[in-house]
Each structure stands twice: as structure tokens, then as C-alpha cells.
């Protein structure tokens, strides 16, 4: 394939800013595409918590104070430079700074002090999207593809089809939907006026009398992707699950490509992971136990060789199954296992988990917050990994777990269906434990089944090895994205 110029525009990218899988996606895919010879660059906002020193972020003289019109005002973006790399590739990263919108914000979308979304999110991300186009113009670097991600960048296709059409005649857009439930919904006034878009675009942005960024992106991107085949089918068919956007996806059906996410196996690899207590692979699984001990020590839990540890790393929302977990709590405690849970999110679930740990200090360890190092240790040290999601666009942690020989226990929805196959002890096939109904009973039975298998070492190691042998690396998936780019270029 012809080598392309690709600009990733995203509100999250690992290691700078991460609340969820989108950050791993953008960095992983960008590096995988670069390794295939494409010229890839990335742009994200420089939020207040991103350390310039730690991330080697530099000023670029000619990218200082770029004028960006916001409604009838002019704001100024200064864009800084950095890079990400893995052993196979290096990608140029740009970061948009602005004193008001980003420099002093300690959250990405929500204020960590109040737990509420920032009141000016529409304005912040309009500014950010326009800074992407201003960046290309100033550098005189016109990408073949601008790859947008979720609502925060979903107006770029609209800009490129209207205001910027003449200046970017060869640039095409791809929009990836990581989670269709966040759509960027704002009051029409003043939002529409702030976009600076021509009146003729108003209809495109309007949905249920509000401004809806994601809807506009779906209608105007040259290609739309989502992160697993099953989720793709679900959001096309289930208008409730898609938050009312199914009709628009159906309109764009011929340009809609569900593609399973990959994982970056240079970062998520038990053989090389520098954040875990002891490296191991499929031939040295006994060393995994060292990680279990280290994890339990960190969680202040006693180590019992015969007691499995169930790990969980999650945003604490009902979508991820937190309501089910809460309902199941008394029965979870009856099972002969321990729990180590890491996550942050909705306050009531944070409170519930804190109490769960304080009241059962011998069985439950909880850390509220975001901790990438602990996330790696949980992935390596737990015996099982629980993902009781109500819905799941793709999910990456089940793939990380399988790569680490940690057995995923998942509910059958979205990308979890596409990545985890239920274990059959007769045929010895399958990579995890899958349950279907979103009920306490089904969840507990799944864990019981996992615990029973855990005590049958021969079956258990078969299950573990089946998972470790799966190839979920980006290398195997990146070609799918190349096909989408090719399709976008001719759309
Ligand atoms: C979002 C989704 C998750 C997906 C990730 C990366 O975080 O909730 O399922 O894996 O994006 O695409």
C-alpha cells in the first residue's frame, strides 16, 4: 500500500493522558502504523497534569500563539512537541496548550474536585479541533488521513467538508467510536455559534434539539470504525444501546467498519514488563506466583497458595458492571478467593468499594484512582480477571490478562464476545469463563466455575495456555485499518 500521512487527533493518548482504553488505542495503533512505514503524527491537549519534564515536551517557536477563532473571539493555541516510541517505531506528538482551556485543568473531561464535567467542554474541544487544522496549515503538512476518536474530535470531519474544504482538498477523515454513550451533547446556543460553522451545517449537528458532536461526525466522516464486530452490530441494531444514534449509523452503513482492537505487546508483555515483580512467559509460569505474592503484599492481603486472587481494573460505572458487583458483594465474600480492585469513577461506587475493603480487610484490597504500575501488577499477579460489563465496546484488559496467563471471567457482550471463548473442559478449548445473563446468579456461578477449574491444575494450565497463545497484537490488526484508510481515500 502507498505510504500515507496520518494525523491522529485525540483527547487521550498513553502515557500522557489516560482515563480509558482510548489512550492505549491511539498510541498502540499510531506506533503500529508507523512501524509499517506510514508517516504518523498525533495531537492531544496538554492538560495540567501532564508533566513537561517527564514527557520531554518542548516548545516549538513557529507553533506559538496560533490564532483560533472561537465564535467572535480569537484565542491563541501554543502547540508543543514530544514523541512516543516503542522498540519498533517512533511517532511525533504535538500537544495543544492554552492557559484557560487546558493548562490548569486537572481532569480531562471532568473536574476531579467535583466529579462534574467541565462547563466549557464544548468550547475546549472546539478550540482543540481547530488547533489541529491550524497546526497542519502552519507546518504546511497536509495529512491524507485525519483519524478522529470519539465525540471530542468528531467535528473535524464537518470542518473539513465545509470551512476548510478548499485548504485541505486531499485530506480524508476516519472517525473511531470507542464508546457511543458519550456523544458530546451541548445546548445548541451558544455551542453552534462557537463552532464558527456555516448555518448550513446546523442541521448536521442537531439531534433532539441539542448540539450532538458525535452524530455530526458519523454523518460526515469518510469512514467510521468501531472497536469490535459485535459492538458494531449492537450499535447498528440497538437504538437504546447506541444512545439514539443507530439510524445515523445505518445511513452510513457502507462506510462503517467494525474492527477489533489490538494490544501493544511491547508494553503488555509478561516477558519484558518492567513494572511487574518477576518476568515470565508460557514456559515459566511458576514465576507468575512471585507476582501474586507481590500483589498481595501491596494490597495488604495474606498469601494463600490455594486461594485464587480475582483482579479488576475498571472505570467505576454501571456500564462496566459496577451495580452488579455491588449487588453481588455478600455472595462474593462467600467464595473462597480474594479480590484486588483498582479504579475510579462515580462517587457512590468509590464509596461502596472503599467500604467493601475496610469491612473485609482479609479478603478485599481496593485502590481508588489511576495507577498504571499497579494495573500491570494486577494483570500479572491475579489468577483471574473479572469484567462483568453491562456493555463493552471492545475492552482491552481481558486481552492483557490472557497475554499474562490470567484467566478472564467476562460477561458476554460487545468485544468480550469477540475476544474470550468460554472454556470447554471436555474439548479443552476456550480462553476464559463467559457468562450471559446480567445477574448476580450468573456472575457468581461463573466465578464458582473458575475457582473449581483453578483447583484442577491440569485443566487450569490448559486454559491459561490457550489464552496466552492468542495473538491479539496490533501487528495482526493494523492491516484492517490500512484497508479502511484506502476506502476513506476513495469515499
Ligand atoms: C473505551 C471502551 C473500551 C475500549 C476502549 C478502546 O474505553 O469502553 O471497551 O476497549 O475504548 O477502544
Amino acid at each position: 500500500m502507498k505510504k500515507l500521512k496520518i494525523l491522529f487527533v485525540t483527547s487521550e493518548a498513553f502515557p500522557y493522558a489516560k482515563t480509558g482504553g482510548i489512550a492505549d488505542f491511539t498510541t498502540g495503533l499510531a506506533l503500529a502504523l508507523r512501524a509499517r512505514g506510514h508517516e504518523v503524527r498525533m495531537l492531544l491537549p496538554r492538560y495540567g497534569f501532564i508533566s513537561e519534564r517527564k514527557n520531554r515536551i518542548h516548545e516549538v517557536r513557529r507553533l506559538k500563539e496560533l490564532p483560533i477563532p472561537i465564535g467572535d473571539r480569537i484565542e491563541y493555541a501554543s502547540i508543543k512537541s514530544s514523541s512516543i516510541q516503542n522498540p519498533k517505531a517512533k511517532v511525533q506528538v504535538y500537544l495543544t496548550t492554552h492557559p484557560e482551556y487546558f493548562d490548569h485543568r486537572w481532569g480531562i473531561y471532568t473536574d476531579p474536585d467535583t466529579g462534574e464535567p467541565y462547563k466549557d467542554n464544548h468550547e475546549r474541544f472546539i478550540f482543540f479541533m481547530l488547533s489541529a487544522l491550524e497546526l497542519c496549515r502552519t507546518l504546511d503538512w497536509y495529512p491524507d488521513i485525519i483519524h478522529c476518536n470519539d465525540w471530542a474530535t468528531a467535528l473535524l470531519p464537518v470542518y473539513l467538508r465545509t470551512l476548510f474544504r478548499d485548504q485541505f482538498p486531499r485530506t480524508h477523515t476516519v472517525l473511531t467510536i470507542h464508546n457511543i454513550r458519550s456523544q458530546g451533547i451541548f445546548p445548541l446556543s451558544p455551542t453552534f455559534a462557537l463552532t464558527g460553522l456555516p448555518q448550513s451545517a446546523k442541521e448536521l449537528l442537531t439531534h433532539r434539539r441539542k448540539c450532538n458532536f458525535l452524530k455530526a461526525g458519523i454523518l460526515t466522516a469518510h469512514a467510521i470504525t468501531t472497536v469490535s464486530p459485535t459492538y458494531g452490530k449492537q450499535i447498528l441494531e440497538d437504538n437504546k444501546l447506541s444512545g439514539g444514534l443507530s439510524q445515523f449509523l445505518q445511513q452510513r452503513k457502507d462506510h462503517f467498519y467494525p474492527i477489533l482492537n489490538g494490544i501493544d505487546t511491547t508494553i503488555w508483555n509478561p516477558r519484558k514488563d518492567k513494572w511487574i515483580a518477576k518476568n515470565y512467559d508460557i514456559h515459566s509460569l511458576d514465576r507468575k506466583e512471585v507476582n501474586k505474592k507481590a500483589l498481595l503484599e501491596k494490597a495488604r492481603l495474606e498469601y494463600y497458595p490455594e486461594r485464587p486472587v480475582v483482579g479488576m481494573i475498571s472505570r467505576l460505572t454501571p456500564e462496566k458492571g459496577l451495580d452488579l458487583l455491588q449487588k453481588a458483594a455478600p455472595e462474593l465474600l462467600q467464595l473462597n478467593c480474594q479480590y484486588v480492585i483498582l479504579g475510579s469513577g462515580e462517587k457512590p461506587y468509590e464509596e461502596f468499594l472503599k467500604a467493601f475493603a475496610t469491612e473485609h480487610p482479609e479478603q478485599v484490597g481496593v485502590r481508588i484512582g489511576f495507577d498504571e504500575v499497579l494495573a500491570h501488577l494486577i494483570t500479572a499477579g491475579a489468577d483471574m480477571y473479572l469484567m462483568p460489563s453491562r456493555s463493552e465496546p471492545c475492552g482491552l484488559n481481558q486481552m492483557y490478562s490472557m497475554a499474562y496467563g490470567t484467566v478472564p471471567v467476562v460477561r458476554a457482550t460487545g468485544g468480550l464476545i469477540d475476544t474470550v471463548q468460554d472454556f470447554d473442559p471436555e474439548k479443552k478449548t476456550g480462553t476464559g469463563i463467559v457468562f450471559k445473563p446480567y445477574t448476580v446468579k450468573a456472575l457468581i456461578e461463573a466465578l464458582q466455575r473458575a475457582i473449581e477449574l483453578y483447583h484442577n491444575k491440569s485443566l487450569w494450565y490448559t486454559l491459561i495456555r490457550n489464552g496466552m497463545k492468542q495473538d491479539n497484537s496490533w501487528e495482526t490488526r493494523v492491516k484492517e485499518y490500512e484497508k479502511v484508510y484506502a476506502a476513506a481515500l476513495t469515499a
Side-chain angles (χ1 to χ4, degrees):
M1 175 185 198
K2 182 182 151 238
K3 300 301 171 215
L4 301 176
K5 289 186 188 147
I6 305 163
L7 177 65
F8 273 78
V9 187
T10 175
S11 53
E12 299 185 28
F14 180 78
Y16 306 96
K18 170 168 168 176
T19 65
I22 176 176
D24 289 357
F25 170 95
T26 46
T27 293
L29 179 56
L31 285 165
L33 286 160
R34 179 73 198 99
R36 289 188 52 87
H38 301 288
E39 189 183 340
V40 186
R41 303 187 190 187
M42 181 140 79
L43 177 74
L44 77 153
R46 204 283 319 270
Y47 309 100
F49 55 81
I50 299 180
S51 154
E52 297 207 339
R53 191 177 45 81
K54 259 184 37 206
N55 292 291
R56 297 165 193 254
I57 297 172
H58 311 287
E59 281 190 358
V60 182
R61 181 149 342 127
R62 69 175 165 143
L63 297 179
K64 272 175 107 169
E65 311 251 316
L66 308 179
I68 309 285
I70 295 290
D72 43 25
R73 284 197 330 273
I74 301 282
E75 294 289 337
Y76 292 89
S78 291
I79 298 181
K80 298 189 175 179
S81 156
S82 174
S83 64
I84 45 171
Q85 63 185 86
N86 67 15
K88 292 177 186 152
K90 183 170 176 175
V91 164
Q92 164 76 51
V93 176
Y94 294 102
L95 298 104
T96 299
T97 74
H98 182 279
E100 195 67 19
Y101 295 140
F102 300 122
D103 296 1
H104 303 296
R105 304 291 177 114
W106 301 97
I108 298 180
Y109 320 101
T110 46
D111 185 340
D113 290 338
T114 62
E116 295 292 320
Y118 290 118
K119 295 253 175 333
D120 57 352
N121 271 344
H122 53 314
E123 206 174 314
R124 296 170 72 218
F125 288 102
I126 289 169
F127 173 84
F128 172 60
M129 290 187 258
L130 288 170
S131 81
L133 301 174
E134 202 49 48
L135 170 73
C136 299
R137 272 207 312 214
T138 310
L139 294 175
D140 195 23
W141 185 77
Y142 291 91
D144 299 300
I145 297 286
I146 295 189
H147 193 142
C148 311
N149 296 277
D150 279 352
W151 71 268
T153 54
L155 291 185
L156 276 165
V158 185
Y159 282 115
L160 286 162
R161 291 219 193 228
T162 55
L163 284 181
F164 290 82
R165 189 189 194 133
D166 296 340
Q167 293 169 60
F168 289 77
R170 271 185 292 278
T171 301
H172 291 70
T173 52
V174 173
L175 169 65
T176 294
I177 301 172
H178 297 271
N179 188 342
I180 203 158
R181 297 309 292 268
S182 318
Q183 301 177 355
I185 299 173
F186 305 104
L188 262 176
S189 161
T191 312
F192 185 73
L194 290 173
T195 64
L197 285 163
Q199 208 56 32
S200 58
K202 193 162 182 178
E203 183 67 36
L204 266 177
L205 268 68
T206 309
H207 183 50
R208 297 175 175 167
R209 293 208 215 103
K210 293 262 167 76
C211 216
N212 188 312
F213 285 15
L214 192 61
K215 175 223 170 191
I218 289 171
L219 288 179
T220 50
H222 291 100
I224 304 124
T225 79
T226 192
V227 292
S228 75
T230 299
Y231 190 65
K233 210 164 156 272
Q234 287 175 328
I235 60 180
L236 262 177
E237 287 166 6
D238 185 341
N239 200 43
K240 201 163 151 229
L241 193 109
S242 75
L245 298 187
S246 293
Q247 47 179 316
F248 305 110
L249 284 171
Q250 275 156 19
Q251 273 182 45
R252 300 299 317 281
K253 215 172 162 197
D254 295 344
H255 304 274
F256 179 51
Y257 306 88
I259 299 174
L260 197 57
N261 280 346
I263 62 174
D264 188 331
T265 48
T266 65
I267 296 176
W268 290 95
N269 183 340
R271 203 150 17 116
K272 298 180 195 148
D273 192 324
K274 51 183 188 309
W275 286 331
I276 65 177
K278 190 147 192 99
N279 291 115
Y280 61 96
D281 63 16
I282 196 163
H283 306 294
S284 54
L285 278 168
D286 50 315
R287 294 195 202 151
K288 183 167 161 45
E289 207 64 10
V290 181
N291 293 295
K292 178 169 172 175
K293 286 181 194 154
L295 173 64
L296 289 170
E297 200 177 308
K298 208 159 190 183
R300 299 221 182 79
L301 294 172
E302 197 82 39
Y303 168 73
Y304 306 97
E306 286 309 310
R307 238 181 160 191
V309 170
V310 180
M312 193 168 163
I313 307 161
S314 184
R315 239 172 304 144
L316 307 177
T317 63
E319 241 191 314
K320 300 288 178 194
L322 262 291
D323 55 335
L324 188 58
L325 193 81
Q326 185 166 12
K327 260 201 264 163
E331 292 181 49
L332 290 173
L333 293 167
Q334 302 303 312
L335 300 176
N336 190 19
C337 60
Q338 293 166 306
Y339 302 91
V340 180
I341 304 172
L342 165 66
S344 60
E346 294 178 14
K347 291 281 174 267
Y349 295 123
E350 295 189 351
E351 293 311 321
F352 147 65
L353 282 179
K354 277 191 227 160
F356 195 37
T358 335
E359 287 159 21
H360 309 281
E362 69 305 320
Q363 202 177 354
V364 184
V366 165
R367 167 86 58 87
I368 299 299
F370 197 82
D371 183 336
E372 195 68 17
V373 178
L374 181 58
H376 280 248
L377 189 58
I378 292 176
T379 308
D383 297 292
M384 302 161 192
Y385 185 87
L386 181 61
M387 242 168 138
S389 307
R390 182 187 287 275
S391 72
E392 192 64 71
C394 177
L396 297 172
N397 284 307
Q398 80 280 18
M399 292 193 259
Y400 298 151
S401 294
M402 286 187 282
Y404 281 67
T406 303
V407 173
V409 178
V410 306
R411 191 176 94 84
T413 182
L416 297 173
I417 293 180
D418 300 326
T419 50
V420 183
Q421 193 200 346
D422 194 35
F423 186 67
D424 180 336
E426 304 273 295
K427 297 196 192 113
K428 302 201 169 38
T429 54
T431 52
I433 303 295
V434 182
F435 65 100
K436 282 207 179 88
Y438 191 75
T439 59
V440 170
K441 184 163 171 273
L443 165 66
I444 296 295
E445 278 172 8
L447 280 170
Q448 276 167 339
R449 201 144 60 86
I451 294 169
E452 213 171 287
L453 277 170
Y454 174 83
H455 292 293
N456 180 332
K457 286 300 169 216
S458 137
L459 284 180
W460 186 249
Y461 279 102
T462 306
L463 170 53
I464 286 181
R465 290 206 177 92
N466 288 352
M468 290 183 100
K469 283 184 204 146
Q470 298 279 306
D471 180 2
N472 285 308
S473 67
W474 268 121
E475 280 93 81
T476 62
R477 312 263 156 85
V478 66
K479 293 184 193 112
E480 298 292 309
Y481 272 94
E482 289 181 334
K483 283 188 207 149
V484 170
Y485 294 153
L489 287 173
T490 56

